[in-house]
Amino acid sequence: MIRTLLLIGLVGFSLLGCDSKKGTFLETVESENDHATSVAKLEKLIKDQGLTHFHSIDHRANARNVNMNLKPETVVVFGNPKMGTVLMNCNPSMGLDLPLRMLFTTDYEGKTTITYKNPEYWSLKHNIKDKNCLNILTKAKMALETLAEEVGKK
């Protein structure tokens, strides 16, 4: 009986969390632009802001290369090596989440969204306690938010 109640409680609790955006580590912004324009806008902003554009991965093209279909989906990999180096010195496991990435997806109705990880989540994931590193994560969150909003505007 107690196991059943506990199981029902856990399932209920997990379902509650599915609808809640509060505390989520993924942020999503709807773009007013099409997929290609959104990706190109980010790549230009990266260059204009003096960031490093490491690579763009076109998952749809990769799917086509193996005779499979996929809606438009692109990951843009970029960053600031000075910031990243400081963060990896705080905890080398940060290397798993750096460089930064933004995911562009387009649904069947043509709506393009931009998704990125909230860097403040990394303080928990990588046990970051250093005040300088926490400050960098806060600045990175604001920078990603600004980039995504700018890319999403017409």
Side-chain angles (χ1 to χ4, degrees), residues 18-73:
C18 290
D19 290 335
S20 174
K21 286 287 233 174
K22 187 176 182 180
T24 184
F25 66 91
L26 292 178
E27 303 289 340
T28 300
V29 174
E30 190 171 327
S31 181
E32 296 173 5
N33 302 299
D34 64 27
H35 189 94
T37 302
S38 297
V39 171
K41 251 183 118 170
L42 177 61
E43 290 172 346
K44 182 179 181 332
L45 281 171
I46 289 168
K47 182 179 178 184
D48 291 349
Q49 293 185 11
L51 300 170
T52 302
H53 176 225
F54 294 103
H55 195 61
S56 291
I57 303 163
D58 184 342
H59 288 308
R60 183 181 206 184
N62 292 333
R64 286 181 176 157
N65 288 338
V66 293
N67 298 316
M68 296 181 74
N69 292 319
L70 184 67
K71 298 180 302 276
E73 185 167 322

Side-chain angles (χ1 to χ4, degrees), residues 32-146:
E32 296 173 5
N33 302 299
D34 64 27
H35 189 94
T37 302
S38 297
V39 171
K41 251 183 118 170
L42 177 61
E43 290 172 346
K44 182 179 181 332
L45 281 171
I46 289 168
K47 182 179 178 184
D48 291 349
Q49 293 185 11
L51 300 170
T52 302
H53 176 225
F54 294 103
H55 195 61
S56 291
I57 303 163
D58 184 342
H59 288 308
R60 183 181 206 184
N62 292 333
R64 286 181 176 157
N65 288 338
V66 293
N67 298 316
M68 296 181 74
N69 292 319
L70 184 67
K71 298 180 302 276
E73 185 167 322
T74 304
V75 177
V76 178
V77 184
F78 64 99
N80 175 336
K82 286 184 180 181
M83 175 198 78
T85 301
V86 171
L87 290 172
M88 288 184 280
N89 277 323
C90 286
N91 188 337
S93 69
M94 282 294 305
L96 292 168
D97 285 303
L98 296 173
L100 302 170
R101 294 179 283 287
M102 282 194 176
L103 170 68
F104 295 80
T105 56
T106 302
D107 66 15
Y108 289 113
E109 295 172 352
K111 181 178 77 174
T112 297
T113 56
I114 306 159
T115 304
Y116 60 93
K117 290 180 189 175
N118 178 347
E120 290 181 331
Y121 165 72
W122 297 335
S123 64
L124 300 171
K125 182 178 178 184
H126 299 286
N127 195 29
I128 303 292
K129 297 190 185 325
D130 177 84
K131 286 184 183 184
N132 182 46
C133 288
L134 292 171
N135 187 38
I136 290 172
L137 292 176
T138 299
K139 287 179 182 177
K141 176 191 185 278
M142 292 186 297
L144 286 173
E145 187 176 306
T146 301

